[in-house]
Each structure stands twice: as structure tokens, then as C-alpha cells.
């Protein structure tokens, strides 16, 4: 029940423009992930860096009160973290793909199974296995990883814009449905793309 409340708080904290931007970016990554893989990697890693910095902001605010008092820093630090990780993801394709798979597995582990050390260890092992498998099968892995990442962004955006949708019922089916549609679309449209 705590995970559901945490998810609702995070989703409810998005402004309408943030939700619309997240939906548009998620749709582009979902449907065009392999064709725009460098851009998709930048976007995915930007979102990971942005979310990591959002999670770290309370710690930074406690450590440096001047940052907590300045709204500009509250906006710039997450964006800066996103840009730094985005540039890393743009430049290193195989490591980027392995990292995306690892972080997707860890994100699901943390959100739905908790943060106990044994749970995190199992999630990390599964993430490493998923990352290794992804680098062995680059094209299908890129398509599936970008479809899941796009589906995740779109689901968060949709649930934010339509708060009456029961999140506990529709969260996973929405991610799964969007991901399947995106993966099938990408496989069909990239048959002859190397």
C-alpha cells in the first residue's frame, strides 16, 4: 500500500505541461526508439539523471541551505543531472543499453518489491543479466528497452493528466500495453534498418 501512495504522490506532483512533454517524449521513444536510438538514449538517460537528482534534492537541500532557498537551483540541478547522464548515454551505445536495462529492472524492483538489501541484490543481479543479454542482442534489445521506457513515460503522463484512473489497477497493464504496441510497431517498421 505504501508503494501505491508513493506512486500517486509522484504522479500527482507533475504539472500539466510536464505531463504533456513527458507524453510526447515517451511516444517518440516508444514508436521511434530504434530509428532515433541516439536521441532516444539521450532522452532516456536524461530522464534517469533528472529523476536521480529529484531524489537527491532533499539531501542536497539539507546539506546546502543556500540551494534550498534558491528556486533557480531547484530547477537547474535536476536538469543539469539529466543533461550530464543524457550526454553519457548519447555517446556510449552498448554501455548505455546495458545501463537502461539495469535501471529499468532496478526501478521496477524498488517501486514494487521494496528497498530491502536482499531484494535490491536480486534486482541488481537480474539487472546485470538483462544488461548482458541486451548487449548480446542489440537491435531487439534496443527496441524492447525503448518501448518499455517510452511506455513508462507515457503511463506516468496519462495517470498524471487523468487522476481518476485507478493506478493500482491500470499502472502495469498500461505500461505492458503501450510497450507491446511500441515494440511491435518498431519491429515492423525497422525490418530493413541496420
Amino acid at each position: 500500500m505504501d508503494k501505491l501512495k508513493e506512486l500517486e504522490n509522484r504522479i500527482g506532483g507533475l504539472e500539466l505541461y510536464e505531463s504533456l512533454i513527458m507524453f510526447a517524449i515517451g511516444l517518440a521513444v516508444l514508436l521511434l526508439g530504434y530509428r532515433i536510438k541516439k536521441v532516444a538514449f539521450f532522452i532516456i538517460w536524461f530522464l534517469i539523471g533528472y529523476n536521480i537528482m529529484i531524489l537527491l534534492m532533499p539531501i542536497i537541500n539539507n546539506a546546502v541551505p543556500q540551494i534550498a532557498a534558491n528556486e533557480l537551483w531547484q530547477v537547474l540541478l535536476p536538469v543539469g543531472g539529466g543533461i550530464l547522464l543524457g550526454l553519457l548515454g548519447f555517446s556510449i551505445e552498448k554501455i548505455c543499453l546495458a545501463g537502461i536495462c539495469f535501471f529499468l529492472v532496478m526501478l521496477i524492483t524498488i517501486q514494487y518489491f521494496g528497498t530491502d538489501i536482499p531484494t535490491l541484490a536480486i534486482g541488481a543481479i537480474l539487472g546485470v543479466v538483462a544488461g548482458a543479454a541486451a548487449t548480446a542482442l542489440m537491435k531487439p534489445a534496443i527496441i524492447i528497452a525503448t518501448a518499455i521506457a517510452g511506455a513508462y513515460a507515457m503511463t506516468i503522463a496519462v495517470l498524471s493528466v487523468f487522476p481518476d484512473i485507478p493506478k493500482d489497477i491500470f499502472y502495469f497493464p498500461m505500461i505492458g500495453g503501450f510497450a507491446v504496441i511500441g515494440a511491435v510497431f518498431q519491429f515492423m517498421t525497422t525490418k530493413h534498418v541496420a
Side-chain angles (χ1 to χ4, degrees):
M1 212 37 100
D2 292 334
K3 296 297 174 192
L4 178 61
K5 285 292 181 198
E6 187 179 312
L7 176 66
E8 286 178 357
N9 289 339
R10 193 176 72 225
I11 291 172
L14 294 177
E15 297 290 332
L16 179 61
Y17 76 92
E18 291 173 318
S19 296
L20 294 176
I21 291 170
M22 183 177 273
F23 184 85
I25 290 171
L27 183 64
V29 171
L30 177 83
L31 297 177
L32 304 171
Y34 187 75
R35 289 188 181 274
I36 59 168
K37 61 184 169 188
K38 291 283 190 182
V39 174
F41 286 165
F42 178 84
I43 291 169
I44 292 168
W45 279 97
F46 175 86
L47 292 174
I48 290 171
Y50 184 86
N51 284 314
I52 288 172
M53 284 305 295
I54 291 291
L55 292 173
L56 293 177
M57 286 308 291
I59 297 168
I60 294 170
N61 289 340
N62 287 337
V64 185
Q66 295 84 355
I67 290 176
N70 189 331
E71 243 183 84
L72 180 64
W73 283 111
Q74 298 298 309
V75 173
L76 286 181
L77 285 176
V79 170
I83 289 173
L84 286 174
L85 271 182
L87 290 172
L88 175 71
F90 181 79
S91 61
I92 309 170
E93 191 171 290
K94 284 190 177 189
I95 294 172
C96 176
L97 178 60
I100 289 170
C101 292
F102 178 81
F103 280 115
L104 285 172
V105 170
M106 289 305 292
L107 180 69
I108 291 168
T109 301
I110 289 169
Q111 279 188 339
Y112 299 101
F113 301 108
T115 57
D116 298 336
I117 298 298
T119 304
L120 290 176
I122 292 169
I125 291 168
L126 292 174
V128 169
V129 169
T135 56
L137 306 164
M138 281 296 283
K139 183 176 179 178
I142 290 171
I143 289 173
I144 292 168
T146 57
I148 292 171
Y152 176 77
M154 288 177 56
T155 299
I156 296 296
V158 168
L159 292 176
S160 175
V161 172
F162 301 104
D164 294 336
I165 295 174
K167 292 158 190 65
D168 57 335
I169 297 172
F170 289 102
Y171 182 75
F172 278 123
M174 285 176 70
I175 289 177
F178 286 146
V180 168
I181 291 168
V184 168
F185 181 84
Q186 286 191 62
F187 278 117
M188 290 175 60
T189 60
T190 61
K191 286 181 182 176
H192 304 292
V193 177

